[in-house]
Amino acid sequence: MELVLTTHFGNERYRFAETYEQLGGYGALRKALSMPKEEIVAEVRKANLRGRGGAGFPAGVKWGFLPKDLSRPRILVINADEGEPGTFKDRLIMTRGPHLLIEGIAITCYALEAHTCYVYIRGEFVREAEIVQEAIDEATAKGYLGKGILGTGFDLEVTVHLGAGAYICGEETSLINSLEGKRGWPRVKPPFPASVGAFGLPTIVNNVETIADIPWIVTHGGEKFASLGVEKDGGTRLICVSGPVKKPGVYELPVGTSLRSIIYEHAGGLRDGKALKAVIPGGSSTPVLRADEIDVGFDIESMQKIGTMAGSGGVIVIPEGTCMVRALSVLMNFYAHESCGQCTPCREGCGWLAKVLHRIENGQGRNGDVELILEVCDNMLGRTICPLADAAVMPAQSFIWKFREEFDGHLREKKCPYGNRF
Amino acid sequence: MSLAFSEDTRARHERMLARYPNREAAILPTLHLAQREFGHLSAEAIAYVASLLGFTPARVEGVATFYTMYNRKPVGKYHLQVCRNLSCSLMGAEHLIEHVAGRLGVRPGETTADGKFTLSTVECLGSCGTAPVMQVNDDYYEDLSEDKVDAILDGLR
Ligand SMILES: Cc1cc2nc3c(=O)[nH]c(=O)nc-3n(C[C@H](O)[C@H](O)[C@H](O)COP(=O)(O)O)c2cc1C
Ligand code: FES
């Protein structure tokens, strides 16, 4: 099986420039520097590389939204906020293969004529940020970053910027505000970051994994990358599997690999002979699937067809015996905690969802509470500046639609049939 | 006594300022430096950061209070932050939190009387494949069990 990213992740020295170079690293940058810039962008378009941060927007298309005139400097921002519950892949790239990210940054900045890049890393990732900084320093010393990279006239400065604990700062316009030293409130779009982004300048925001794929695309060509995946969704993806499976972890798999084989072959199936009850496939914000819905390819369109999303590749496996009301309650506490408070439907709605679920779970639910939750969801969906409200609604609705009996059971019995804990 | 950065931190701060087009963008990194230097962000620390960058304390405070990692109150020598999100919960985080709370005799949000440990619950730490997870100051401890946590706490005396 062809791997794009993780081939050498088992090698502990791969995170150092010297080993990375010995294994062919920075060859793609040399090649890119000899290519016309438009050709690099064209290869990325051909690759059908869809953003790995959650929204799945085609990277090459997004890059095309930059204004044509070069009078205003452009900025590349790497989204290393990795906040979506269930997702832990960018951390792996940053610790095992930071030079893949850096080489991707150098190529992308060259192609987009951006001389400044900020890597926005979630504040908790102190050690990860140290490793990335060390790799930046090495790359600068070797001439891959800094003034006149590899003897060209191209200057590139890369700065690590730490977040400070806020899920919302993973949303790209919130991230930009946070980078600018403001509260992490999302911005109204348009204008889109590509025209008015960080510091008022044209800005492209891409996820760590998206950019780490770029060197391979330059080396092997966009068509080859596209052919690894499915139509309109190329390459491999880092799939994160968590929950009580035998082998939780990150698996690099061709886009379109079946969810069943991800859980049962790659992650080894469930522990302790447990049966599968449900799966959240793409991070906590994506609609839940029942155990009988996992014969689906892990790609953006196949997931969409069955009413969920590939999201950020965070597969959360939920075993039989789990109280779905409690599981949803945990998630709604998260969204209530993380709503930035800017839009009323989200601020109030997330709070209500958490509160009502809490009382249902604790046997104090009232008749009509389930309908109340669904009504609150209707009043949130699509009515806010950013999709955090939708991100809370999607699990809430899908948990109720697919496991309604458990909610009703709590109301009927006035207690949690599972004993009120995990 | 008024707060001030050490020589070292001052030099780091200067280098950091050069990476940004304006002083506003330096607010978050400067707050991080201040928290490291002063332990937590007291009103005095906020005022110091504000004066360094040329903003009003209210402006800096408005930013600091938005982000959960900035501690406005003192925390213990070891800040134990146990993840309570779904993947960790499925792997026993609730029990783990109770265990740590019982052992230290504090509830989440509290600090032990000797000032050694503050216990907090936090949202997903981005390490769900090695759940349950706890962050202690800058380091992650993963694949935790009660025995493992006991050994870790014993080592942090
Ligand atoms: C609430 C919220 C949280 C998000 N968190 C992240 C995140 O942690 N990391 C990330 O890369 N994208 C995150 N995104 C998606 C970004 O807004 C954006 O789509 C992405 O960074 C674009 O990069 P990509 O096209 O390479 O995926 C989040 C979006 C929302 C609405
Ligand atoms: S749920 Fe605990 S680290 Fe993600």
Side-chain angles (χ1 to χ4, degrees), chain A residues 86 88 91 118 122-124 127 157-159 161 163-165 178 180-184 242 271 326 334 421-422, chain B residues 19-20 24-25 32 62-63 66-69 85 87 91 94-95 124-129 135 139-140 142:
Chain A
F88 44 96
R91 182 178 183 224
Y118 290 97
R122 63 177 295 172
E124 292 85 349
R127 301 301 177 215
E157 187 170 271
V158 182
T159 300
H161 185 91
S178 182
E180 290 183 358
K182 303 183 169 87
R183 301 167 75 88
S242 65
R271 288 189 191 176
R326 190 164 194 82
F334 165 72
R421 58 194 299 167
F422 280 100
Chain B
R19 312 295 296 190
Y20 296 98
E24 192 178 18
H32 279 304
V63 175
F66 184 84
Y67 299 93
T68 54
M69 284 180 65
N85 211 296
S87 303
M91 300 304 286
E94 286 186 0
H95 303 268
C124 179
L125 287 167
S127 185
C128 331
Q135 179 164 21
D139 291 295
Y140 278 33
E142 306 169 37

Side-chain angles (χ1 to χ4, degrees), chain B residues 50-123:
Chain B
S51 72
L52 267 184
L53 298 174
F55 296 102
T56 63
R59 171 78 184 74
V60 174
E61 172 136 9
V63 175
T65 50
F66 184 84
Y67 299 93
T68 54
M69 284 180 65
Y70 295 130
N71 300 315
R72 303 303 319 284
K73 289 188 301 191
V75 291
K77 180 172 175 202
Y78 300 108
H79 190 185
L80 315 177
Q81 308 186 73
V82 190
C83 173
R84 61 166 184 203
N85 211 296
L86 186 56
S87 303
C88 283
S89 290
L90 289 168
M91 300 304 286
E94 286 186 0
H95 303 268
L96 199 72
I97 291 164
E98 274 174 35
H99 176 76
V100 177
R103 204 190 128 125
L104 298 178
V106 294
R107 299 306 310 157
E110 295 174 354
T111 301
T112 53
D114 61 3
K116 269 253 163 75
F117 297 103
T118 299
L119 174 62
S120 300
T121 57
V122 292
E123 295 301 348

Side-chain angles (χ1 to χ4, degrees), chain A residues 258-315:
Chain A
S258 103
L259 182 55
R260 177 177 298 279
S261 79
I262 290 169
I263 296 170
Y264 285 98
E265 284 170 40
H266 300 285
L270 281 81
R271 288 189 191 176
D272 310 322
K274 282 187 184 150
L276 180 68
K277 180 170 194 172
V279 183
I280 300 178
S284 71
S285 310
T286 60
V288 69
L289 297 173
R290 288 187 315 259
D292 61 358
E293 295 178 297
I294 61 169
D295 291 300
V296 56
F298 205 103
D299 60 83
I300 291 167
E301 294 199 351
S302 302
M303 287 289 183
Q304 242 164 18
K305 275 192 201 129
I306 63 162
T308 187
M309 293 164 70
S312 54
V315 177

Side-chain angles (χ1 to χ4, degrees), chain A residues 208-372:
Chain A
V208 170
E209 184 186 347
T210 311
I211 293 301
D213 279 337
I214 300 298
W216 198 95
I217 292 171
V218 167
T219 304
H220 300 269
E223 268 170 35
K224 183 83 195 292
F225 186 88
S227 73
L228 300 178
V230 299
E231 208 196 337
K232 294 194 214 151
D233 193 354
T236 62
R237 281 192 77 131
L238 298 186
I239 310 271
C240 320
V241 190
S242 65
V245 290
K246 289 194 185 122
K247 293 182 288 170
V250 177
Y251 296 92
E252 180 178 0
L253 298 167
V255 167
T257 301
S258 103
L259 182 55
R260 177 177 298 279
S261 79
I262 290 169
I263 296 170
Y264 285 98
E265 284 170 40
H266 300 285
L270 281 81
R271 288 189 191 176
D272 310 322
K274 282 187 184 150
L276 180 68
K277 180 170 194 172
V279 183
I280 300 178
S284 71
S285 310
T286 60
V288 69
L289 297 173
R290 288 187 315 259
D292 61 358
E293 295 178 297
I294 61 169
D295 291 300
V296 56
F298 205 103
D299 60 83
I300 291 167
E301 294 199 351
S302 302
M303 287 289 183
Q304 242 164 18
K305 275 192 201 129
I306 63 162
T308 187
M309 293 164 70
S312 54
V315 177
I316 305 174
V317 174
I318 301 176
E320 204 56 72
T322 305
C323 172
M324 295 305 274
V325 177
R326 190 164 194 82
L328 184 60
S329 176
V330 165
L331 292 181
M332 292 306 116
N333 283 341
F334 165 72
Y335 291 102
H337 183 256
E338 300 298 338
S339 172
C340 80
Q342 191 177 203
C343 309
T344 310
C346 178
R347 181 183 64 237
E348 300 296 319
C350 290
W352 271 103
L353 293 179
K355 199 164 141 184
V356 175
L357 278 160
H358 187 258
R359 76 181 181 221
I360 298 177
E361 167 66 356
N362 288 308
Q364 287 141 8
R366 306 171 194 166
N367 283 335
D369 267 356
V370 179
E371 289 74 17
L372 176 62

